[in-house]
Each structure stands twice: as C-alpha cells, then as structure tokens.
Amino acid sequence: MNNFFRSRFFVVLIIITCFLAGFMLNVAVDGGVMPHRTIVGIITTPFTTLGTNIKTGVSNFFAAYTKYEELLAENEALKKENSDLLKRLEDSYTLEVEIKRLEQLANILETTDTLELIDAQVVSVSTDGWNSVFSINKGSMSGIREKDVVIASSGLVGKVREVGPNWATVVAFTDPQIAVGAMITRTEDTAMTEGTVELKAKGLCKLSYLSKNSSAIRGDIVETSGLGGLYPAGIVIGTIKDISIDDNGLTKYAVIQPAVDFSELKHVYVSINYASEESE
C-alpha cells in the first residue's frame, strides 16, 4: 500500500483528479465556457504557491543559518578582543601600582637619604583586632635584624620584633611596649609617643611629656626626633587629634592619629642596620 502512494501512477492520478475537479468547477460556474488555461491556473496555483513558500522557507533557513555562523564568528572575535583588553588593563594596573610604589620609595629616600631600605610585603596581621603585629615576607636573608625600623610610604610603622630566614614580625608603634622619641614639626616641641591599651584599640597612641607652655594644636604634624638613637629623625608619625593637660598640671599630652592606616597596610620598608649601629 505504501508503495502505491509513492508510485508515478498515484501522482498522475492526483493530477487527473485535480483537472477533472477543475473541469467540473468550470461547468458548474459558467456552463463550461471557461478557458482551459484558466482551469489549469486554478489547478496549478495552489501547488505553485506551496512550492514558492517551500523555496522561500528553505532560502530563509539557509540565510538565517549563514547569519548565525557569522554572529558566532563575530562573538568569538569580540570575546578575544575583550580578553586582550582585560589583559592590557591588568598589565597597566600592575605597572601603575609598581610606579606608585617606586615613587613612594623615592619620597622616603628623599626625606631620609641616609637610610638603606628593604621593601617587603605584609603577609598577615595579628588577630587581636588592633592591627598591632604584622608578618612580612623578608627576613635575615635580606639583612633584616631585630629592632630594625619599619616605615611605610605615609610614615612610621614600628620596629622588627622577631626575625626568621625569610620572614619577620613587626610591632606597630601604637603598641604599649613601644616608645618613640618625637617632635612636633611646627613648634619643634620634643616629646615621646606611648602606646596604651585603650588608645591601641582605637588605632591611636599618646604623645607624652609635652611642656605645659607648648603651643601645639590639633592638626599639628608629629615626626620622629631621632633622640635615643632607635629611630631616625624626620619620619612622620601622625597628627595631633586632641590635646590636654596632665593630671599633675605640669605637662600636656596629646592623642595622635597615626599617618599609617594599619588596617590597609600592604607594603612596608625596613631600614636595615640603622638601629643596631646607633643603639650600640
């Protein structure tokens, strides 16, 4: 049965049937006077229309497929271009960071031209919530020793407490165990920074032993004085946040806001040999 519907005989039968149907339609409509050409047109037009629609659909399909292939190729090209741009941006950012780091180092060396500095990266911070103890990725193999002074681009950080071959532990000057000889830049009043537990928790420290007659005010810059030989002179410590008279009524003290943001500290510079030479 399936072979019958696929045979040429069946196709011819369909054509004859359509022709007879058209002839009968001609007789029914106008008594058979309709031209044979018109009858053929009536019969063939649906098939022609169907064929045209199929051809148009196939053509549109292949056109859409070709367009799809073009879009895929364009998308891949855009992906590659985007990847290249991201790589260039990353390289540019890395270069910018390195240039900034070198500029900061140059500024430090210009301020304290007698120092020999080793740059190091902060790899961990103490978990006490006070950011007072740091670990860096340089140690004795780089010439770093205990008590070496540690600074950042913005100012004083602290000193080295413990050293390993390729690591060292740094204590911030805000720690209660640390005291630094200091001077107010504007007034040249000398004093000493002292860490306290209360101020350390706030990221601050105390400036003690100021003369009662000192004209220091809020916003004054405090730097290292160099007295005592442990810290070189001229390194910025911070700014005065508040100032008061001591309970004894004879001296003043101030609260210092450190110049270094310890919570954001990423790179430091260790001044090698200075502390050991001066303190000994």
Side-chain angles (χ1 to χ4, degrees):
M1 181 64 69
N2 289 336
N3 292 331
F4 170 75
F5 289 113
R6 297 176 182 177
S7 63
R8 292 182 180 179
F9 177 76
F10 177 74
V11 173
V12 173
L13 182 62
I14 291 296
I15 294 173
I16 294 174
T17 302
C18 292
F19 180 80
L20 291 176
F23 180 78
M24 293 175 64
L25 178 62
N26 179 20
V27 173
V29 172
D30 57 5
V33 297
M34 182 182 296
H36 295 295
R37 184 176 180 181
T38 302
I39 296 175
V40 172
I42 294 175
I43 296 173
T44 59
T45 294
F47 294 99
T48 304
T49 302
L50 177 61
T52 301
N53 290 339
I54 292 174
K55 180 180 179 181
T56 302
V58 171
S59 178
N60 291 339
F61 171 78
F62 282 106
Y65 181 78
T66 303
K67 186 66 175 177
Y68 175 73
E69 289 292 324
E70 292 175 355
L71 289 175
L72 281 181
E74 184 178 352
N75 185 54
E76 289 300 321
L78 288 174
K79 283 183 179 180
K80 186 178 184 305
E81 182 179 354
N82 185 56
S83 178
D84 292 341
L85 288 174
L86 288 175
K87 182 63 170 60
R88 290 168 59 186
L89 181 62
E90 181 181 347
D91 292 343
S92 176
Y93 176 76
T94 301
L95 180 60
E96 182 180 347
V97 170
E98 181 63 16
I99 291 174
K100 184 176 180 180
R101 186 187 70 82
L102 292 175
E103 288 176 346
Q104 292 170 344
L105 179 58
N107 291 334
I108 294 172
L109 290 174
E110 183 179 354
T111 304
T112 54
D113 55 4
T114 60
L115 300 183
E116 183 180 356
L117 302 178
I118 299 294
D119 67 309
Q121 183 179 351
V122 176
V123 293
S124 67
V125 182
S126 61
T127 57
D128 60 5
W130 296 334
N131 299 321
S132 61
V133 181
F134 309 88
S135 292
I136 59 177
N137 65 345
K138 298 287 180 67
S140 58
M141 294 175 62
S142 300
I144 296 175
R145 292 184 282 186
E146 292 182 10
K147 298 184 180 180
D148 279 346
V149 178
V150 182
I151 58 181
S153 58
S154 53
L156 182 66
V157 174
K159 67 177 182 179
V160 176
R161 182 174 68 180
E162 189 178 3
V163 181
N166 61 347
W167 59 270
T169 301
V170 178
V171 182
F173 72 89
T174 55
D175 191 273
Q177 301 177 18
I178 304 292
V180 181
M183 181 181 70
I184 299 174
T185 305
R186 181 180 63 84
T187 65
E188 296 187 351
D189 291 329
T190 57
M192 182 171 290
T193 68
E194 295 179 324
T196 69
V197 173
E198 180 182 359
L199 291 176
K200 174 185 173 183
K202 300 176 182 179
L204 307 171
C205 73
K206 184 178 181 180
L207 183 66
S208 301
Y209 310 118
L210 275 173
S211 169
K212 181 181 178 180
N213 298 322
S214 172
S215 60
I217 58 175
R218 293 179 183 178
D220 274 343
I221 297 174
V222 181
E223 61 184 47
T224 54
S225 65
L227 298 177
L230 293 176
Y231 297 87
I235 301 175
V236 175
I237 296 175
T239 57
I240 293 179
K241 183 179 178 66
D242 198 6
I243 190 166
S244 305
I245 297 178
D246 281 310
D247 293 338
N248 59 24
L250 302 176
T251 55
K252 290 181 178 180
Y253 72 92
V255 175
I256 297 178
Q257 176 69 58
V260 173
D261 184 353
F262 295 106
S263 65
E264 297 294 331
L265 199 58
K266 304 298 182 185
H267 285 88
V268 296
Y269 303 94
V270 183
S271 173
I272 60 176
N273 299 329
Y274 179 87
S276 59
E277 290 177 359
E278 296 293 330
S279 59
E280 292 175 2

